[in-house]
Amino acid sequence: MDTATEPTHGYITDKDKYLNRLKRIEGQARGVYRMVDEEQYCIDILTQISALTSALQSVALGLVDDHLKHCVTDAVKLGGEEADAKMKEASDAIARLVRS
């Protein structure tokens, strides 16, 4: 397939920012693992888990924002069933995030 006609994702302009953030999150998760392995104080571990959860939520919200601004907006411009499907897909993704 010709790369000029392949769809791009909304986050593509911030891909490096997301990858760097995810690397930091990966390090935080390893830190929590190490804390449990070293039998550190429960509250300290919970504090780090809270920070990790917040970091993941921040990435998720950024991706939702990019998806709405790019993928959903493009689909709405085209209209029809694709627009309806993208709106439902976005709503379902947001609902999953809210439940988590």
Side-chain angles (χ1 to χ4, degrees):
M1 181 183 273
D2 182 12
T3 56
T5 60
E6 287 184 35
T8 59
H9 302 292
Y11 65 84
I12 203 73
T13 57
D14 292 325
K15 180 180 175 181
D16 289 337
K17 178 183 81 170
Y18 283 117
L19 289 174
N20 287 333
R21 187 66 184 125
L22 289 167
K23 283 179 193 176
R24 286 193 301 272
I25 290 169
E26 182 180 23
Q28 285 178 284
R30 275 194 234 108
V32 169
Y33 177 93
R34 188 184 73 252
M35 290 176 81
V36 171
D37 187 48
E38 294 172 357
E39 300 176 8
Q40 293 191 18
Y41 187 55
C42 300
I43 297 302
D44 294 339
I45 296 169
L46 290 170
T47 299
Q48 290 306 309
I49 289 172
S50 177
L52 183 57
T53 301
S54 179
L56 282 169
Q57 287 173 341
S58 178
V59 169
L61 289 173
L63 288 170
V64 166
D65 186 58
D66 287 340
H67 183 67
L68 292 173
K69 288 179 179 174
H70 185 268
C71 302
V72 174
T73 299
D74 288 351
V76 168
K77 287 177 185 173
L78 294 174
E81 289 181 26
E82 185 176 342
D84 294 339
K86 285 289 182 192
M87 290 296 288
K88 179 168 179 7
E89 178 184 61
S91 292
D92 291 348
I94 292 167
R96 285 191 302 273
L97 284 172
V98 170
R99 283 192 305 266
S100 63

